[in-house]
Amino acid sequence: MIASPVLSPLLSWAGDPKLKNWAGNYTYSTDRLHQPVSVEELRALVKKLDKLRVLGTRHCFNGIADSTRNLVSPKPDEQAVAINAPARTVTVDAGLKYGQLAPYLHKQGFALHNLASLPHISIAGACATATHGSGVKNGNLATAVSGLELVTANGEVVKLSRQQDGDAFRGAVVGLGALGVVTKVTLDLLPTFMMKQYVYESLPLSQLKQHFDAIMASGYSVSLFTDWQKQRVNEVWIKSRLEAGVVFRPEAEFYGAKQAKKNLHPIADLSAENCTEQMGVAGPWYERLPHFRMGFTPSSGKELQSEYFVPRQHAVDAILAVERLRNQISPHLMISEIRSIAADDLWMSPCYKQPSIALHFTWKQNWPAVSNVLPLIENALAPYKARPHWGKLFTMAPAKLQALYERLPDFKKLVQQYDPKEKFRNEFIARTLYATDAAPRR
């Protein structure tokens, strides 16, 4: 049984009568929010409603989860956690947060292979948008999914598994909320492990250019934080597993960067109190893989986010292309993060068939200014066929975006199969996956 989590500051929007996302930048188009407490209640609701979208922990920055008619947010059963120890899997309610599940798994001797920078997000939402975590050898969070249960448009419960359903499964995992309401998720597990985290400051850009692969492979998970100024990376976060033969050996200097003398926040002006422990202090995987602690506000809270994935072989060129835009970017930026993610075989994943580098931007909450900067970044990254994160802000025209996904025609067939009357299709899905000219809006 999972203990009740600390009340997260992400719930600060609860006092506002209008439904907003966690950062407060997006107001949903209806306040008609249904919260079924059982699968049977959910099935009846889905049958009854002609239009709906599923709303999770509201961490997306755009309209991917929005609806003008009905929002559905099933209440997860925190105690419905079934571990299959011989198979090394766990099946959970899809709306459960990683920060709720992870401590329980650790106590039972298990771990997940990867976590995002914050544990406050729901499992279903993270997987449906291919949210990723970090690590040269680590696939995104969706790659841990080995089984799905969802309620489709006619109220039917459909179960899909990696082992039995092949292409349909690979198309459904990163489903963008277009196939139905995911109710249960089965995740692959690892034996639990311990980690240490070290931070280095002021990595010269020249060193990054020369030793990019070695730097990104120096730990189980590595993040580079930069404001794109002064020809340097502000902070290098190295997360290392404690296991024989592969533990990171800290030195006072790391490719010209100096080891930090205290815990740091990725945004220099903010307190590190909200961040996971650094300075080489050992802790369980779920307290080191994220950057932010479960009971605290992640990142800065009031912000905007964008993110683009480029094939790993173009990483340095893509980084330099963005760095040349530093004067246009800097006035509106809080911080950027660069991470690596392994390739996968999930149709709508930005890492489909390509090891990738993610270029993440945390912006000040000024959409008019950011909307003018994003096209500059997208044009600079266009030669490298950058794919935007599905749940974050971008301005790429639908036709260009659609051309980046070779399995999109197959995904549309799958959507037609599960949702022939377009019950789950909203403005975001209609515009992004089906329109031919109009640029996506936030």
Side-chain angles (χ1 to χ4, degrees):
M1 293 181 58
I2 299 175
S4 296
V6 175
L7 182 63
S8 168
L10 293 186
L11 298 180
S12 61
W13 37 254
D16 190 328
K18 294 182 179 179
L19 292 175
K20 295 179 179 290
N21 67 338
W22 78 275
N25 74 291
Y26 193 93
T27 301
Y28 295 98
S29 301
T30 180
D31 59 0
R32 195 177 296 111
L33 178 63
H34 307 270
Q35 296 182 292
V37 297
S38 68
V39 173
E40 289 307 311
E41 186 178 330
L42 172 64
R43 292 180 65 190
L45 187 64
V46 171
K47 287 180 181 180
K48 175 183 174 182
L49 301 177
D50 60 347
K51 284 283 188 181
L52 69 144
R53 289 290 285 182
V54 180
L55 195 60
T57 48
R58 313 186 196 187
H59 191 257
C60 289
F61 291 80
N62 58 32
I64 189 170
D66 200 6
S67 172
T68 59
R69 306 286 289 278
N70 297 281
L71 296 168
V72 176
S73 185
K75 292 185 176 181
D77 183 350
E78 297 177 15
Q79 299 177 12
V81 178
I83 292 177
N84 183 332
R88 284 191 183 174
T89 64
V90 62
T91 300
V92 300
D93 266 21
L96 201 65
K97 298 173 187 174
Y98 284 96
Q100 295 170 313
L101 174 64
Y104 176 77
L105 291 180
H106 175 66
K107 289 178 182 178
Q108 302 303 313
F110 293 101
L112 298 171
H113 82 290
N114 211 347
L115 288 173
S117 62
L118 60 156
H120 310 68
I121 55 179
S122 70
I123 294 168
C127 295
T129 55
T131 297
H132 51 85
S134 175
V136 171
K137 297 180 180 179
N138 302 329
N140 63 39
L141 303 186
T143 62
V145 178
S146 59
L148 286 175
E149 178 184 286
L150 66 156
V151 174
T152 59
N154 61 3
E156 180 184 359
V157 175
V158 173
K159 296 182 179 181
L160 298 171
S161 72
R162 182 193 298 141
Q163 187 174 15
Q164 297 181 358
D165 295 290
D167 261 7
F169 172 81
R170 288 186 286 272
V173 174
V174 184
L176 311 179
L179 301 175
V181 184
V182 178
T183 53
K184 292 189 182 298
V185 180
T186 300
L187 303 171
D188 293 334
L189 299 176
L190 301 173
T192 195
F193 55 92
M194 301 290 283
M195 301 189 79
K196 291 183 177 181
Q197 182 168 218
Y198 298 91
V199 176
Y200 288 82
E201 298 184 83
S202 297
L203 175 75
L205 186 61
S206 58
Q207 292 288 320
L208 185 67
K209 289 191 289 185
Q210 295 177 36
H211 305 287
F212 181 81
D213 288 339
I215 290 169
M216 298 308 289
S218 60
Y220 185 82
S221 170
V222 176
S223 292
L224 311 177
F225 292 98
T226 180
D227 59 7
W228 304 102
Q229 298 296 306
K230 300 180 181 179
Q231 294 281 302
R232 55 91 172 93
V233 169
N234 303 46
E235 299 174 15
V236 181
W237 288 36
I238 301 171
K239 303 168 189 278
S240 178
R241 282 185 61 162
L242 299 185
E243 54 187 344
V246 295
V247 178
F248 176 76
R249 305 296 180 187
E251 302 287 347
E253 187 171 309
F254 177 79
Y255 294 98
K258 305 297 183 182
Q259 189 172 356
K261 302 299 184 183
K262 63 179 182 179
N263 285 354
L264 298 176
H265 192 288
I267 302 173
D269 294 337
L270 298 184
S271 167
E273 179 185 10
N274 296 356
C275 299
T276 49
E277 191 69 43
Q278 302 158 30
M279 305 297 295
V281 177
W285 55 279
Y286 68 92
E287 292 182 350
R288 295 297 179 272
L289 282 173
H291 301 327
F292 303 101
R293 298 159 63 189
M294 178 63 181
F296 294 79
T297 302
S299 195
S300 72
K302 188 177 181 180
E303 63 194 55
L304 304 177
Q305 291 185 11
S306 301
E307 190 161 32
Y308 299 92
F309 299 78
V310 298
R312 184 180 175 82
Q313 67 266 32
H314 301 310
V316 172
D317 288 339
I319 290 168
L320 295 179
V322 173
E323 194 269 340
R324 287 190 286 270
L325 297 172
R326 59 189 177 276
N327 292 336
Q328 292 95 322
I329 291 173
S330 183
H332 315 295
L333 185 73
M334 291 184 178
I335 200 68
S336 276
E337 182 179 5
I338 301 168
R339 290 181 277 186
S340 56
I341 310 96
D344 60 56
D345 62 357
L346 306 175
W347 292 357
M348 301 305 292
S349 166
C351 303
Y352 179 73
K353 290 189 175 180
Q354 62 180 38
S356 300
I357 296 295
L359 302 172
H360 183 278
F361 301 85
T362 300
W363 303 104
K364 299 172 185 176
Q365 205 173 81
N366 182 347
W367 173 243
V370 172
S371 66
N372 289 328
V373 175
L374 292 183
L376 302 179
I377 295 173
E378 291 169 2
N379 288 337
L381 296 178
Y384 315 113
K385 298 184 177 180
R387 298 168 175 170
H389 189 296
W390 290 109
K392 300 184 181 180
L393 299 171
F394 57 93
T395 60
M396 188 178 296
K400 291 183 178 180
L401 177 62
Q402 294 160 22
L404 298 172
Y405 286 88
E406 61 183 88
R407 299 303 297 269
L408 178 58
D410 297 315
F411 181 71
K412 289 180 178 179
K413 291 178 183 177
L414 199 62
V415 171
Q416 177 65 24
Q417 176 185 342
Y418 285 109
D419 186 22
K421 295 184 178 180
E422 303 177 6
K423 180 173 290 192
F424 297 104
R425 187 176 302 186
N426 65 353
E427 183 185 3
F428 179 94
I429 295 296
R431 184 178 62 251
T432 305
L433 300 188
Y434 293 89
T436 57
D437 50 5
R441 297 175 296 175
R442 69 188 183 106

